[in-house]
Amino acid sequence: MASKYSKDLLLTMYRKMYLMRRFEERAGQQYGLGKIAGFCHLYIGQEAVAAGVEAAIRPDDYMLSGYRDHAQPLARGSDAGMVMAELFGRTGGYSKGKGGSMHIFDIENHFYGGYGIVGAQIGLAAGMAFASRYRNEDRVTVCYFGDAAANQGIFHETLNMAAKWKLPVLYICENNRYGMGTAIARVAAVPEIHKRGDAYGIRHEAADGMDVLKMYESVKDAVEYIRAGNGPVLMEANTYRFRGHSMADPATYRTKQEVEDERKNDPIPRLKDYAIKQGLAKEEEFDAIEAEVKEQVDAAVKFADESPEPSLDELWKDTIVEEGEEDVRPRERVLGVKVTRWPKYPSGQELKVTWDLEPREQAEKADKAAGLKR
Amino acid sequence: MAELMYREALNQALAEEMERDANVFLIGEEVGRYQGAFKVSQGLLDRFGSARVIDAPISELGFAGLGVGAAMVGLRPVVEMMTWNFAILAMDQIVNNAAKLRHMSGGQLRCPIVFRGPGGAGGRLSSQHSQALESNYAHFPGLKVIAPATPADAKGLLKSAIRDDNPIIMIEGERLYALKGEVPEGEHIIPIGKADVKREGKDVSIITWSRMYYFCEEAAKQLEAEGISVEILDLRTLRPLDEEAILATVRKTNRAVIVEEGWPLAGVGASVVDIIQSKAFDELDAPVLRVTGLDVNMSYAANLENAIQPDAPKIIAAVKKVLYREGA
Ligand SMILES: Cc1ncc(C[n+]2csc(CCOP(=O)(O)OP(=O)(O)O)c2C)c(N)n1
């Protein structure tokens, strides 16, 4: 049977996953060399999730994540050198070295940040989705968070509102089974996180986060549903991180056997095998992609290394917007590349708000039923 | 000029800014069909519809986060906190996200959001509903904090806040909502960051903000009868502090008393003292004194509640002390 996937799709997904993997391996190495400091949470093992999502959404859809946030922007198209420079704390980074590993922001590519407070981005995502509806845009907001984040209050508070107001947001819980050293089953009354969607009456489902094609299918379906105006979806991507929680974590809370077993599911060789078996691509084509990506990552490290540390006067910038201050377009600033995808929002005069959050007839009916007069 | 209540002045500012810019929306508990817990949003739901005047569930953290997210992509949310006591639940979104987004993104993002609602003590509500929390927010870089005393200032500052591209904390006086004053119609703007000399005087400066201003006026009137001329500087903005205005009044009178509703330790007034002593020490004829709320939790009992808060007699005593007058 011929594959229903195009060669282009498979190779694009492969290239993205391979880039994420190589980038993170190099990041780990640079951490070991002392060039990256602080926390450094690697994404190794989870690549199928980001690659599958990216293939299924539009480039102008919004995205946010937690602190494990180097790889998802790479899948979006962020510059690997600028992400690496951010990890190094250099001016060439997306945030000029002020955000570091846990706070990658690439607004040009609609990546609205990594956040260091577990779960905090869940609320922001609802606000961004709210803005899309407010402006009658058909954008979807994709929000990544971990299994542990689902136990935060903001998760419950936000899902309630997102469901009630049918906000166009896709919540993707990357369930890698651990929050730092705590297995999710030890702290969650219902460890299948997606089932919590029932409490808010929203569509929810589990997805295979170790298989990029399955991930792609699940997300494509969910995004279609969201774009059609049906409200949020809570998707649990079952995945696994091959490394510790961060570079500082030797991960002694799980057995060697467990990790070895999971490594057999490595999504990257899995996709390669599939494509070759289907006769969609040859070994050499993958070799070529891998060689290109390796060069790209080498260049990224070199770029980061050569980028200067921020000057001390940077301390006093980027805290308060001064009147008349222009926005910074980082790729223009750092690479001199003309930015074309910088978002442009309608001014208040152009904007017509037609959305009825709580239609009046409905409200009046509810009042009447309760015997109230407005 | 029209005489308006403080709450009506705020209502007018909201209505005018919502009219002017469709990116502005209001979200909070009971802001819509109930017409606002303190009636600040009276009539706005009918005028602007349910997508722009949004009744939120009781989820301070959640709807604060929703507001910040909307601001990140260019809407201009006004988030009403039923009172600042409950905004404590939203601290993470205000402090860890709103205040830091611009920094963490290296200048890529702006967060044009206003968090507003009543603050301050009194009304026999005991500890959890009766506290002045402005110093909590004044502590954080990335936020601007405003606290108007008069209806005119309330309108002018709220309009500025809504147009500002930064996260603004607006602490209104819960006990000032029914207070009346002249309010200019239409385009009346008070710049954020500018203090206001509310009373000119030459012997001593009282520096204060929000509701405490009225106790200071009362004290100043009584002191005037005794031949003491008091200048009152209303800070209006607590972050950034108007250093120039603080130093100017101290240079004029050479004596200062700071009146603050909140607790003494790490209060905004402590920073005002710091500015004065480090930049105008030679101008001082006496140590700067502070009149603050007592360093205790608020009580329900009427006599205890009164004893905890600053009042005119306490202010008068402090003024006399810095003037080295008898009875101090
Ligand atoms: C509010 C908060 N509490 C605790 C932490 C410390 N912390 C950082 S990551 C983490 C585990 C989170 O795990 P999960 O959400 O499952 O994401 P994963 O690391 O598995 O991707 C903890 C406890 C934090 N950053 N923020």
Side-chain angles (χ1 to χ4, degrees):
Chain A
M1 193 188 80
S3 169
K4 58 178 182 166
Y5 304 107
S6 74
K7 173 177 180 174
D8 187 48
L9 175 71
L10 297 192
L11 292 186
T12 301
M13 292 199 295
Y14 188 80
R15 182 185 290 271
K16 285 186 172 165
M17 288 201 289
Y18 197 77
L19 171 62
M20 292 187 252
R21 177 68 55 91
R22 280 283 94 84
F23 182 96
E24 291 290 60
E25 284 171 354
R26 285 303 291 280
Q29 191 189 45
Q30 299 300 304
Y31 187 91
L33 293 171
K35 301 218 168 163
I36 297 172
F39 296 135
C40 180
H41 309 91
L42 301 181
Y43 196 66
I44 293 176
Q46 305 184 199
E47 293 91 345
V49 183
V53 168
E54 194 57 41
I57 65 174
R58 288 196 324 229
D60 68 332
D61 286 331
Y62 294 138
M63 184 181 286
L64 317 86
S65 184
Y67 45 81
R68 198 179 296 285
D69 64 341
H70 318 153
Q72 296 131 351
L74 292 177
R76 298 238 81 183
S78 297
D79 185 89
M82 289 179 67
V83 178
M84 192 65 86
E86 191 57 40
L87 305 190
F88 277 43
R90 304 296 176 86
T91 42
Y94 272 101
S95 302
K96 306 181 212 169
K98 295 176 181 182
S101 164
M102 296 191 281
H103 311 295
I104 305 293
F105 286 78
D106 174 4
I107 304 313
E108 178 197 349
N109 285 303
H110 303 292
F111 187 78
Y112 277 79
Y115 296 85
I117 304 298
V118 168
Q121 71 273 24
I122 296 173
L124 301 178
M128 294 170 68
F130 172 89
S132 300
R133 268 206 79 172
Y134 193 89
R135 296 193 179 110
N136 293 314
E137 294 170 347
D138 66 344
R139 272 181 226 246
V140 168
T141 298
V142 175
C143 179
Y144 291 102
F145 58 97
D147 39 277
N151 293 327
Q152 284 283 24
I154 187 101
F155 171 89
H156 301 278
E157 294 192 22
T158 305
L159 256 64
N160 178 54
M161 291 185 293
K164 186 71 199 160
W165 299 335
K166 288 198 184 330
L167 301 181
V169 52
L170 173 59
Y171 282 114
I172 299 194
C173 174
E174 293 189 272
N175 187 348
N176 58 20
R177 285 193 254 157
Y178 295 90
M180 272 180 73
T182 302
I184 184 68
R186 282 179 52 211
V187 288
V190 178
E192 297 96 338
I193 303 296
H194 72 92
K195 289 188 182 164
R196 297 180 186 190
D198 277 336
Y200 304 101
I202 63 173
R203 172 170 157 177
H204 61 84
E205 63 205 60
D208 185 345
M210 298 306 274
D211 182 329
V212 68
L213 292 170
K214 288 192 184 145
M215 200 62 219
Y216 164 71
E217 292 292 353
S218 302
V219 175
K220 210 167 68 145
D221 212 49
V223 167
E224 225 165 83
Y225 169 91
I226 297 167
R227 252 193 256 288
N230 294 305
V233 171
L234 174 61
M235 183 178 291
E236 178 176 7
N238 288 300
T239 183
Y240 199 78
R241 61 168 157 77
F242 294 165
R243 300 284 197 94
H245 168 70
S246 73
M247 284 303 294
D249 169 28
T252 48
Y253 44 83
R254 46 189 206 187
T255 63
K256 266 209 175 74
Q257 191 58 48
E258 178 182 313
V259 181
E260 261 168 43
D261 288 347
E262 288 302 327
R263 275 188 182 275
K264 290 185 191 126
N265 281 329
D266 192 328
I268 300 181
R270 211 163 149 181
L271 178 64
K272 192 200 269 189
D273 285 351
Y274 173 85
I276 291 172
K277 280 205 185 99
Q278 293 284 326
L280 278 170
K282 297 199 181 64
E283 194 79 52
E284 300 85 74
E285 290 175 276
F286 287 102
D287 293 347
I289 289 175
E290 289 171 14
E292 278 165 31
V293 168
K294 273 180 196 152
E295 252 177 54
Q296 187 185 354
V297 174
D298 284 346
V301 173
K302 186 161 179 285
F303 173 81
D305 241 337
E306 288 171 357
S307 177
E309 286 189 315
S311 65
L312 286 183
D313 65 342
E314 277 295 332
L315 281 174
W316 305 102
K317 296 180 185 160
D318 304 328
T319 296
I320 286 285
V321 187
E322 305 296 342
E323 231 175 88
E325 187 182 346
E326 288 283 313
D327 278 332
V328 183
R329 288 157 173 74
R331 290 218 312 154
E332 249 170 55
R333 179 190 76 220
V334 174
L335 305 175
V337 178
K338 190 94 192 106
V339 171
T340 49
R341 271 161 69 186
W342 195 263
K344 178 134 181 35
Y345 303 115
S347 84
Q349 279 83 8
E350 296 158 25
L351 185 64
K352 283 268 168 302
V353 186
T354 53
W355 175 30
D356 237 351
L357 196 87
E358 195 189 5
R360 177 175 290 239
E361 313 83 74
Q362 216 169 295
E364 275 166 5
K365 223 194 252 164
D367 278 355
K368 221 168 167 189
L372 298 173
K373 258 213 287 279
R374 206 180 135 95
Chain B
M1 236 186 296
E3 276 249 312
L4 292 184
M5 282 192 271
Y6 190 93
R7 66 159 60 93
E8 291 168 335
L10 290 165
N11 179 274
Q12 202 174 77
L14 278 170
E16 285 174 16
E17 292 307 301
M18 290 182 77
E19 197 65 65
R20 189 179 158 268
D21 182 352
N23 283 307
V24 180
F25 71 94
L26 176 69
I27 184 167
E29 291 152 12
E30 310 287 7
V31 298
R33 297 172 79 207
Y34 191 84
Q35 308 294 326
F38 291 91
K39 301 290 170 260
V40 170
S41 56
Q42 184 101 38
L44 297 182
L45 173 65
D46 279 342
R47 202 158 152 196
F48 298 104
S50 64
R52 297 187 65 199
V53 180
I54 302 166
D55 281 322
I58 303 180
S59 287
E60 282 80 6
L61 179 67
F63 67 75
L66 186 145
V68 176
M72 283 162 65
V73 289
L75 295 189
R76 307 187 84 83
V78 177
V79 178
E80 176 171 309
M81 292 294 172
M82 194 178 265
T83 78
W84 279 99
N85 304 286
F86 319 141
I88 292 173
L89 278 80
M91 264 291 208
D92 176 54
Q93 289 295 332
I94 298 174
V95 165
N96 277 322
N97 284 342
K100 296 174 172 48
L101 272 169
R102 186 155 183 84
H103 177 83
M104 297 193 302
S105 68
Q108 291 179 73
L109 285 179
R110 334 186 140 205
C111 188
I113 188 168
V114 180
F115 297 98
R116 49 154 289 272
R124 309 281 311 272
L125 297 171
S126 187
S127 319
Q128 294 179 339
H129 278 67
S130 195
Q131 37 194 346
L133 295 169
E134 43 268 47
S135 67
N136 292 41
Y137 299 93
H139 200 60
F140 294 102
L143 300 178
K144 292 184 183 178
V145 183
I146 55 182
T150 65
D153 286 354
K155 177 179 175 184
L157 278 168
L158 179 53
K159 284 172 79 80
S160 288
I162 291 172
R163 296 180 195 187
D164 200 291
D165 273 350
N166 296 289
I168 312 283
I169 304 297
M170 179 163 180
I171 306 206
E172 297 157 9
E174 182 166 328
R175 316 209 65 69
L176 298 181
Y177 279 131
L179 183 125
K180 277 192 163 176
E182 300 221 309
V183 179
E185 258 149 63
E187 194 70 355
H188 165 65
I189 304 278
I190 304 277
I192 292 175
K194 288 267 169 279
D196 184 37
V197 178
K198 287 256 177 349
R199 181 189 186 91
E200 298 258 6
K202 53 185 194 332
D203 296 332
V204 58
S205 300
I206 301 182
I207 302 172
T208 191
W209 63 92
S210 194
R211 178 170 74 111
M212 292 298 112
Y213 160 66
Y214 297 94
F215 294 118
C216 297
E217 262 304 331
E218 194 184 321
K221 279 197 191 108
Q222 290 183 35
L223 287 160
E224 198 172 66
E226 297 180 36
I228 298 168
S229 158
V230 174
E231 176 146 305
I232 300 179
L233 182 72
D234 173 9
L235 290 174
R236 297 197 296 201
T237 299
L238 306 178
R239 174 183 266 274
L241 282 168
D242 188 347
E243 280 198 20
E244 254 172 59
I246 293 168
L247 295 173
T249 187
V250 170
R251 287 190 177 120
K252 182 173 170 193
T253 66
N254 312 105
R255 298 169 203 269
V257 169
I258 297 151
V259 180
E260 170 168 14
E261 183 171 355
W263 297 288
L265 189 76
V268 173
S271 287
V272 177
V273 175
D274 175 59
I275 290 168
I276 296 171
Q277 73 82 25
S278 62
K279 298 197 173 156
F281 185 76
D282 292 341
E283 313 271 348
L284 288 175
D285 288 342
V288 179
L289 287 188
R290 291 171 70 204
V291 179
T292 69
L294 298 188
D295 204 9
V296 296
N297 282 317
M298 184 57 69
S299 288
Y300 172 71
N303 63 328
L304 297 182
E305 188 188 68
N306 281 333
I308 288 167
Q309 299 177 72
D311 57 14
K314 289 180 189 171
I315 297 166
I316 289 169
V319 165
K320 288 188 174 170
K321 206 161 173 185
V322 301
L323 283 160
Y324 302 113
R325 293 283 181 105
E326 45 41 76

